[in-house]
Amino acid sequence: MATERTLSIIKPDATRRNLTGSINAVLEAAGLRIVAQRRVRLTQAQAEAFYAVHKERPFFRGLVEFMISGPVVVQVLEGDNAVARNREAMGATDPKKAASGTIRAQFAEDIEANSVHGSDSAENAAIEIAFFFAQVDIVG
């Protein structure tokens, strides 16, 4: 198995309900190590830049507004096949379709307020990690 890193974001719906520790416990139980973490309040410009890939989608504006509605916790997770492990731990985007025990099945409010974001590939993980963290911030 390949050790890799991925980005995780604990979204405003989860931070508002003080679920950071509970979500971190699920991530760690899935074999992921948190090697960088900080709580931030995204600006509109930051949210628009981070989600620019979705700019033409009808949900873009709502996504940006949601992501700036409260603090988020940005994290770098590390482990064997970290991208796939994180996506498995998160569960399906729609919490109604998420497997029992996943973060979204346990904590998401709905398909938009779904508690977490995770990189979808190793390539995107590298880009997303660099968006929030300098290499010096990551302690493996």
Side-chain angles (χ1 to χ4, degrees):
M1 290 189 181
T3 298
E4 60 187 14
R5 291 180 173 161
T6 190
L7 184 83
S8 172
I9 302 176
I10 301 176
K11 294 181 178 182
D13 64 295
T15 62
R16 175 178 40 80
R17 293 177 289 142
N18 295 317
L19 295 173
T20 301
S22 298
I23 290 171
N24 284 348
V26 174
L27 295 171
E28 290 175 334
L32 296 162
R33 289 183 8 170
I34 300 166
V35 295
Q37 176 175 263
R38 75 170 178 269
R39 187 178 180 98
V40 298
R41 183 90 185 231
L42 296 177
T43 65
Q44 183 167 337
Q46 287 171 320
E48 287 174 349
F50 185 77
Y51 287 107
V53 66
H54 299 302
K55 191 170 182 74
E56 301 305 318
R57 303 256 178 126
F59 61 82
F60 176 74
R61 184 61 34 216
L63 176 60
V64 168
E65 291 302 314
F66 171 62
M67 291 301 289
I68 66 174
S69 69
V72 299
V73 175
V74 292
Q75 307 173 306
V76 178
L77 307 176
E78 183 178 81
D80 291 335
N81 298 312
V83 172
R85 280 182 189 241
N86 184 43
R87 294 191 68 77
E88 185 176 321
M90 288 190 311
T93 303
D94 182 347
K96 293 175 186 165
K97 297 177 182 174
S100 177
T102 62
I103 293 167
R104 289 177 174 149
Q106 292 181 70
F107 305 119
E109 294 178 318
D110 57 47
I111 195 166
E112 292 176 352
N114 62 16
S115 298
V116 286
H117 162 90
S119 303
D120 63 1
S121 67
E123 296 76 25
N124 283 339
I127 294 165
E128 291 181 349
I129 289 168
F131 187 91
F132 289 107
F133 295 95
Q135 191 60 40
V136 70
D137 296 326
I138 303 169
V139 181

